[in-house]
Amino acid sequence: YQVVGVTSGGFGRTAQSNVVNVGPALSLPFAESVSGCVFATSPWRQQVVQSREGASQQPAWDTVENAQTSYIMEDEDETEVVLTITSQDTDGGMLRFNANFCGNFTTPGIGRLILPSLDFAEAVSPVLGFYLFRETYYTMDPADYNGRNDDLVKVEVSADGADFVAIDDAVFHRYGTNDAWVKCEVPLKEFAGKSRVAISLTGVGLGGGPIFVDNLTVVDTTESVSTICSACGFNTLSNFNRLFRK
């Protein structure tokens, strides 16, 4: 919500409150894969932290089935190669942050995607997990250009309505030589015992390429293996073990 001061001289500046997720806090384990581009959990919220004047778009997250880009091969025919990025679990849905349109090197566009509030009251050692698509498709290596186009996602947390705080070492860069989905994990043990925890995937766009995220989970690592497997999308422990052994 916003608060505006009003006097006989007119309206003052607007003050924006923090984003507050309402409703009951969800219990662990938590899982969201946006299958078919639809959220199975709610409520999710977005917040613009910083926008760049003149940018073609405000910082924002949305869901997409897949994404395509292309590049020209350095050969005699200058062949165009079309690349398709599909969801990590091939369920037709993933998250996208518009890092390529909302900011640049001097003024990044920053936007939060805030998960439904979670109940950590009984948790001992909760861990956030998600997949990030790291690729070389959209830009050259930012290290060769003084960090330009180095789009990233950082994890921030708000406990019991307090301000969001960044988690140390929880910064994940879009550019990478993998050209594949990479598992990211963030320990959240410092918030164990809190009854209302809001986790934000905070996109930082410097004009490089879109950021893709899929398959978010939050589990208490003291839970049984079968419970964790279920939260990660495996319907039986044997299916998990079969994939793990490959």
Side-chain angles (χ1 to χ4, degrees), residues 127-141:
V127 175
L128 166 69
F130 62 91
Y131 284 87
L132 174 73
F133 195 86
R134 302 200 67 198
E135 43 77 19
T136 59
Y137 302 157
Y138 286 92
T139 56
M140 303 295 288
D141 188 345

Side-chain angles (χ1 to χ4, degrees), residues 21-148:
N21 271 6
V22 298
L26 305 183
S27 59
L28 301 184
F30 171 86
E32 179 59 74
S33 68
V34 291
S35 176
C37 296
V38 177
F39 286 96
T41 56
S42 65
W44 289 69
R45 295 289 183 268
Q46 295 202 48
Q47 181 181 23
V48 174
V49 179
Q50 177 175 290
S51 59
R52 182 179 70 85
E53 184 177 355
S56 59
Q57 296 179 14
Q58 290 285 298
W61 291 82
D62 65 352
T63 59
V64 293
E65 181 178 353
N66 56 58
Q68 283 191 340
T69 186
S70 63
Y71 68 90
I72 304 299
M73 293 185 62
E74 296 180 358
D75 57 12
E76 292 183 359
D77 300 325
E78 294 187 343
T79 306
E80 181 182 23
V81 177
V82 177
L83 302 161
T84 301
I85 301 171
T86 58
S87 60
Q88 186 271 333
D89 52 5
T90 66
D91 66 356
M94 58 186 178
L95 297 165
R96 174 180 64 183
F97 178 67
N98 62 342
N100 48 330
F101 293 119
C102 69
N104 60 21
F105 179 65
T106 57
T107 309
I110 305 174
R112 291 188 178 115
L113 178 65
I114 304 169
L115 283 66
S117 294
L118 301 174
D119 185 357
F120 283 10
E122 303 298 325
V124 176
S125 187
V127 175
L128 166 69
F130 62 91
Y131 284 87
L132 174 73
F133 195 86
R134 302 200 67 198
E135 43 77 19
T136 59
Y137 302 157
Y138 286 92
T139 56
M140 303 295 288
D141 188 345
D144 295 333
Y145 296 90
N146 297 319
R148 292 180 182 273

